Amino acid sequence: MSSLSYLASYTIRCSSTIDGHDPNKQKMNSIQVNVTVSHVSTADLVNYKNGAANTLVAHFAENGCISKEQDRQNIPTKKQFVDPYRQGLIIEEGVGYRVYRQTVVVRSYEVGPDKSATIESILNLLQETALNHVWMSGLLGDGFGATHGMMRNNLIWVVSRMQLQVDHYPIWGEVMEIDTWVGASGKNGMRRDWLLRSHATGLVFARGTSTWVMMNQQTRRLSKMPDEVRAEISPWFIEKQAIKYEIPEKIEKLDDKAKYVNSGLKPKRSDLDMNHHVNNVKYVRWMLETIPDEFLEDHQLSGIVLEYRRECGSSDTVQSLCQPQEDGIFNGVQQENSIGLLNGYSLTPGILEGNGIRGSLYQGPFSYTHLLQIKGDSKNEEIVRGRTTWKAKLSSLLFST
């Protein structure tokens, strides 16, 4: 095995740890660096650099057609340290290289009317970086993030819980670094965490954590983790949490008496993922569309917790229930004489009493409870329970002119 210096075709911040950014540096020069990759053969890295093109050309010349998905995808069979096509790196954490870091640019179709990334776009990026992490590990089979051992046991990953905290939203054209890593969750689960931050300043945009379990693809029942799968993924585990673990507060189950109800929702073919059930991001869209538009215009999502109960298929009819929490809670803090706004900035009582701010924005609620369920003839089946928390948009707090 030989070591060589591989020139990445993009600029990156050189950092050996997740929290290696200097918050005092507000401006950094873009540099192009040589990434020295060890423990990878020259032939493997050159083949990966050339990508699938050479493989496809050879296959086409021999057979006259492209028939194998493996040839088209060029899935690595060994651990990779650099992915020039996805602008990804495996970086050092602890005693080994186990954290995946991807540099992404917020695209025009990922933002809303305010030019900031939508929550759906952020969730899609979390899913994509998680899959790319498995891709780079050399463990990916031909499933949706499933390892070779999982494929042999006919198992797939399903998410049981997800939490996302958003402090700031990236804007159109902004460059982000997304770090993701995995850890153990009980005997049969896996935790996956994310950290999203600005490439230029190191400002943290969002943190996420999730819990995953295995399900038999044929029986659709949850499964214990086979020893061979544990042996595959446990070397990648890290004892680090993006969001400090706390005993989760139970999300109450809503009924038909909920204040807002949206019925008759039908999945489209475009909503299905590679495991043939509705993509998790679609669930969030259904939830948020049940919240009144007048609230969404003046508020921004700051946190979401999702507890998954079962999958949803293409033939199911879904109902979305939503109940506001009428308790005046703003990001978990009771509002009294001052208003905590946008991570540390505060509005004094004098400003509030001077009528310079749209005070109506603070007359709750700032959190909602959600339920998605499949409507059946005799009973309803829960898909996912959720809780969303919100903060006022900065544009809604400006003085009127």
Side-chain angles (χ1 to χ4, degrees), residues 106-401:
V106 180
R107 295 170 172 83
S108 60
Y109 53 81
E110 295 174 326
V111 302
D114 60 355
K115 296 185 180 181
S116 64
T118 64
I119 192 66
E120 293 93 340
S121 296
I122 292 176
L123 291 172
N124 278 324
L125 287 171
L126 299 189
Q127 177 175 280
E128 183 67 13
T129 51
L131 289 171
N132 291 343
H133 187 198
V134 183
W135 181 291
M136 294 277 285
S137 72
L139 298 177
L140 183 65
D142 61 355
F144 197 36
T147 68
H148 300 289
M150 292 175 64
M151 297 298 296
R152 286 190 289 270
N153 288 272
N154 201 30
L155 298 175
I156 59 176
W157 287 114
V158 291
V159 59
S160 61
R161 187 177 187 273
M162 177 170 285
Q163 181 181 2
L164 180 66
Q165 295 177 354
V166 184
D167 297 330
H168 307 276
Y169 280 82
I171 62 175
W172 173 42
E174 192 159 15
V175 181
M176 283 194 298
E177 288 179 350
I178 304 177
D179 287 358
T180 184
W181 62 95
V182 292
S185 178
K187 293 182 179 180
N188 296 299
M190 183 182 74
R191 190 194 75 247
R192 176 171 287 280
D193 288 14
W194 294 269
L195 182 67
L196 292 73
R197 62 184 168 219
S198 166
H199 173 76
T201 67
L203 175 71
V204 174
F205 291 125
R207 305 172 186 268
T209 188
S210 59
T211 304
W212 297 77
V213 293
M214 295 182 185
M215 183 174 73
N216 187 286
Q217 193 168 16
Q218 290 182 336
T219 65
R220 316 308 283 185
R221 294 182 180 274
L222 297 183
S223 170
K224 293 183 178 180
M225 184 183 295
D227 290 339
E228 66 171 314
V229 176
R230 192 185 313 276
E232 286 179 318
I233 64 177
S234 60
W236 289 86
F237 287 173
I238 296 175
E239 292 298 324
K240 183 179 180 67
Q241 299 177 350
I243 299 176
K244 183 180 179 181
Y245 176 79
E246 297 179 352
I247 298 176
E249 181 182 351
K250 183 180 179 181
I251 301 178
E252 63 177 302
K253 181 181 179 180
L254 300 180
D255 54 29
D256 292 338
K257 297 180 182 179
K259 187 170 184 178
Y260 304 110
V261 179
N262 192 3
S263 301
L265 302 172
K266 293 287 293 183
K268 301 176 183 178
R269 287 185 59 85
S270 59
D271 297 328
L272 304 182
D273 60 24
M274 288 184 278
N275 287 331
H276 303 285
H277 57 228
V278 175
N279 187 284
N280 297 325
V281 178
K282 183 64 178 182
Y283 295 155
V284 175
R285 188 175 297 118
W286 278 336
M287 287 180 174
L288 300 187
E289 287 176 349
T290 311
I291 298 176
D293 288 340
E294 54 268 26
F295 182 86
L296 296 176
E297 288 177 359
D298 290 333
H299 296 82
Q300 198 169 47
L301 185 70
S302 60
I304 185 168
V305 177
L306 301 170
E307 296 179 353
Y308 296 90
R309 296 294 196 267
R310 60 154 295 165
E311 58 185 338
C312 174
S314 58
S315 61
D316 294 323
T317 300
V318 178
Q319 184 182 55
S320 177
L321 308 175
C322 176
Q323 179 65 39
Q325 301 302 303
E326 307 282 0
D327 53 10
I329 296 296
F330 183 85
N331 281 345
V333 180
Q334 184 72 33
Q335 301 307 300
E336 295 178 351
N337 294 326
S338 64
I339 300 297
L341 171 66
L342 297 180
N343 305 290
Y345 297 97
S346 62
L347 302 177
T348 65
I351 294 178
L352 294 174
E353 293 171 2
N355 298 321
I357 301 294
R358 293 178 58 183
S360 60
L361 290 175
Y362 305 106
Q363 298 174 7
F366 287 98
S367 64
Y368 285 84
T369 301
H370 304 266
L371 173 66
L372 293 182
Q373 61 183 6
I374 297 174
K375 292 292 290 181
D377 295 333
S378 58
K379 66 174 184 177
N380 301 327
E381 296 183 88
E382 289 185 76
I383 303 173
V384 57
R385 296 185 191 184
R387 180 184 297 111
T388 56
T389 54
W390 302 78
K391 61 185 178 184
K393 290 182 179 179
L394 181 61
S395 59
S396 303
L397 302 174
L398 299 179
F399 291 84
S400 59
T401 56

